[in-house]
Amino acid sequence: GAVVSQHPSWVICKSGTSVKIECRSLDFQATTMFWYRQFPKQSLMLMATSNEGSKATYEQGVEKDKFLINHASLTLSTLTVTSAHPEDSSFYICSAAGTLNEQFFGPGTRLTVL
Amino acid sequence: AQSVAQPEDQVNVAEGNPLTVKCTYSVSGNPYLFWYVQYPNRGLQFLLKYITGDNLVKGSYGFEAEFNKSQTSFHLKKPSALVSDSALYFCAVRSYGNNRLAFGKGNQVVVIP
């Protein structure tokens, strides 16, 4: 089956620093990648949708300057949390969709901002 | 607009008993329906999906779900629950041509030994 990886699986950073999370589709080309945020025991909140080679589409209420998304190739998308603060601490999950629009999810990245 | 309702917060079931996790949906057009399971600090694992065809869909780990168009439901079932089935379960829907999924709030399943 389709495999999506995320790196790192967890990261701890100081307030004010930036953190980059990578999402890779390992065995298929992803025309679209999605970034979600999940708070403990809650559902996934879609942050943005990114298509290879174009700007990401952000959901209402998500700051595009704070959560920078780059989808430079058909197998890699990155989410950079800029000037991170403790309220940005969360579980971030990416998914990748191929030509049939079916989403395959990464294992998630736990971000803790001190 | 597309949405999913998972009415229960937590489902408790004794090991060996049948497990049901409820899901109703709202979508324009034909629905594509999915169930995912999530273990602590892990991503979502795909269980099964309904796209078209037989209303009863069989998936991974002995799970199945029945698509009921008149009731707009897609309940997840397992005939005999295992302790290892204890996890968070998400129902999701999207319409044809829409690549964005709408997730339910999730149901915590607790299987009691």
Side-chain angles (χ1 to χ4, degrees):
Chain A
V3 179
V4 176
S5 70
Q6 277 184 245
H7 178 80
S9 55
W10 60 269
V11 57
I12 301 172
C13 69
K14 293 182 179 180
S15 185
T17 61
S18 295
V19 174
K20 180 184 285 188
I21 302 170
E22 291 186 350
C23 177
R24 292 182 185 271
S25 57
L26 298 184
D27 51 3
F28 69 103
Q29 293 185 327
T31 53
T32 305
M33 287 186 171
F34 302 84
W35 287 96
Y36 297 86
R37 184 174 180 176
Q38 185 183 29
F39 292 102
K41 296 190 176 182
Q42 294 190 25
S43 190
L44 279 70
M45 180 191 78
L46 179 64
M47 300 175 65
T49 303
S50 74
N51 292 294
E52 185 264 341
S54 62
K55 290 184 178 180
T57 301
Y58 290 81
E59 296 298 302
Q60 190 172 9
V62 178
E63 299 176 60
K64 63 180 180 180
D65 294 331
K66 181 164 187 63
F67 298 100
L68 299 178
I69 291 172
N70 183 275
H71 193 161
S73 76
L74 287 172
T75 59
L76 173 64
S77 176
T78 60
L79 167 68
T80 301
V81 183
T82 62
S83 186
H85 291 284
E87 57 266 29
D88 299 323
S89 298
S90 191
F91 195 54
Y92 292 88
I93 301 175
C94 74
S95 71
T99 53
L100 297 180
N101 278 339
E102 185 167 338
Q103 291 188 36
F104 300 94
F105 289 83
T109 296
R110 171 73 60 193
L111 170 63
T112 302
V113 185
L114 302 177
Chain B
Q2 45 192 34
S3 65
V4 169
Q6 293 181 247
E8 300 158 314
D9 289 329
Q10 182 164 310
V11 175
N12 296 325
V13 62
E15 186 177 22
N17 281 3
L19 168 64
T20 298
V21 188
K22 295 180 180 178
C23 170
T24 58
Y25 66 89
S26 175
V27 70
S28 299
N30 294 324
Y32 290 8
L33 292 153
F34 304 83
W35 274 102
Y36 297 92
V37 61
Q38 185 181 35
Y39 294 94
N41 292 310
R42 303 289 295 274
L44 271 63
Q45 294 180 33
F46 171 80
L47 283 178
L48 50 78
K49 66 180 178 182
Y50 171 82
I51 302 297
T52 186
D54 196 347
N55 289 344
L56 182 63
V57 179
K58 293 188 182 296
S60 307
Y61 313 119
F63 284 94
E64 60 186 31
E66 185 163 12
F67 170 62
N68 187 316
K69 187 173 183 178
S70 63
Q71 297 186 4
T72 61
S73 68
F74 191 57
H75 302 329
L76 180 70
K77 298 181 180 183
K78 186 172 183 179
S80 178
L82 301 173
V83 172
S84 58
D85 293 328
S86 298
L88 193 55
Y89 290 79
F90 291 100
C91 181
V93 69
R94 66 174 177 88
S95 58
Y96 174 77
N98 185 347
N99 62 3
R100 295 167 62 194
L101 285 170
F103 283 89
K105 66 178 182 178
N107 283 127
Q108 183 67 48
V109 169
V110 177
V111 181
I112 304 164

